[in-house]
């Protein structure tokens, strides 16, 4: 990404929590189902591993750690 590719606005969200609780909310399927409209993030969360978003039994998106 170059300087000209950067977005002109970046959203900032402040969360009053512990780092551990935020990590669990982002990585544990039981928590992601609550906040991603039933979607589950699945990964082993190791560098280079895949991350998949599953919704209603189907993979709807994927990325990489």
């Amino acid at each position: 990404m170059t300087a000209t590719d950067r977005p002109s606005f970046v959203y900032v969200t402040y969360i009053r929590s512990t780092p551990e609780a935020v990590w669990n909310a982002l990585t544990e399927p039981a928590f992601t189902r609550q906040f991603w409209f039933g979607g589950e993030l699945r990964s082993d969360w190791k560098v280079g591993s895949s991350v998949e978003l599953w919704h209603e039994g189907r993979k709807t998106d994927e990325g990489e750690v």
Side-chain angles (χ1 to χ4, degrees), residues 3-52:
T4 57
D5 294 333
R6 291 185 182 159
S8 60
F9 184 83
V10 176
Y11 288 92
V12 177
T13 303
Y14 295 93
I15 301 171
R16 184 175 296 173
S17 185
T18 64
E20 295 81 10
V22 172
W23 178 253
N24 285 336
L26 294 171
T27 60
E28 294 295 327
F31 288 104
T32 61
R33 280 192 299 273
Q34 293 177 50
F35 302 107
W36 290 66
F37 305 100
E40 294 181 9
L41 288 174
R42 297 179 185 175
S43 180
D44 64 8
W45 302 107
K46 296 178 183 172
V47 174
S49 293
S50 67
V51 178
E52 301 173 344

